[in-house]
Amino acid sequence: MVSLFQLLAVSAVVMGVSQTIARERIFAPLRERLGGRETWWGYLVSCPYCVSHYVAFLLVPLTGTYGIDVVVGGRTGLLLRWFLSSLLVTVVAAFFRVLFWFVDESQGLVRRRQRTEDEEVATRRLVRRQVEREAATGEDAPAPPSPH
C-alpha cells in the first residue's frame, strides 16, 4: 500500500502539471491549435480537471502510487488497480486545486487592496501638489459657477 505522503505528493504534482498545461501561457499555442474551449479536443487540454486525469494515468504507474488494491487478479485486476488509483490521485488533486484557488484568490485580493491604497496615496499627492502650486503662485481658488 502506498504511503499517505506519496499519495499527497503525486496528487500535488498532478495538480501543478495539469494547471500549467491548462492555464499557463507556455501551453497557450497548444490550446489554440486544438481550438481552445470551443472544440472538443481543445477543451480537453483547457480544463485543469480533465488534464489531471491524463497526467494521473501517466504518473501513477511511473511512481507506483497505487492507492487502491483490488481483489480481482490477472490483467483485469492490474488494469482496475491502475484506473482506480489514478482516479483517486485525480480527486485528491482536485481538492488541492480548490485550496490553491483560495490561496491564489486571497493573494489577488491582497494585491487589489494594495493597488487601491497606492492609487489613493497617489491621488492625495497629486491634490497636495496642485494646492501647493496654487498657494505658491498666489492664485485663489477658482470662483464657483454663478447660479442662473
Side-chain angles (χ1 to χ4, degrees):
M1 191 71 174
V2 68
S3 71
L4 180 62
F5 175 77
Q6 184 177 1
L7 175 67
L8 296 176
V10 171
S11 298
V13 170
V14 166
M15 188 276 303
V17 170
S18 64
Q19 187 74 18
T20 300
I21 292 171
R23 297 281 187 239
E24 297 301 326
R25 192 178 312 163
I26 191 169
F27 285 97
L30 171 67
R31 293 190 303 269
E32 290 171 11
R33 181 176 292 149
L34 294 174
R37 288 188 175 262
E38 288 76 37
T39 66
W40 187 76
W41 287 106
Y43 188 80
L44 291 178
V45 294
S46 299
C47 166
Y49 180 71
C50 300
V51 174
S52 66
H53 283 84
Y54 317 131
V55 175
F57 289 151
L58 179 68
L59 286 182
V60 164
L62 289 176
T63 60
T65 309
Y66 294 101
I68 297 181
D69 288 325
V70 295
V71 294
V72 178
R75 290 186 182 185
T76 304
L78 291 174
L79 185 63
L80 194 58
R81 181 178 181 213
W82 164 72
F83 184 76
L84 293 176
S85 296
S86 297
L87 289 180
L88 175 64
V89 167
T90 300
V91 168
V92 174
F95 281 109
F96 282 157
R97 188 171 299 103
V98 169
L99 293 174
F100 178 75
W101 183 84
F102 279 119
V103 168
D104 190 48
E105 185 65 22
S106 68
Q107 290 300 313
L109 292 173
V110 168
R111 285 190 298 267
R112 283 191 291 269
R113 188 177 309 132
Q114 182 63 41
R115 195 174 315 127
T116 302
E117 291 173 3
D118 292 344
E119 290 171 355
E120 289 175 1
V121 168
T123 302
R124 288 183 194 138
R125 285 182 186 151
L126 181 62
V127 169
R128 185 181 316 131
R129 286 183 193 145
Q130 289 175 346
V131 170
E132 289 172 353
R133 282 187 201 133
E134 290 174 2
T137 59
E139 294 179 5
D140 292 332
S146 60
H148 290 210

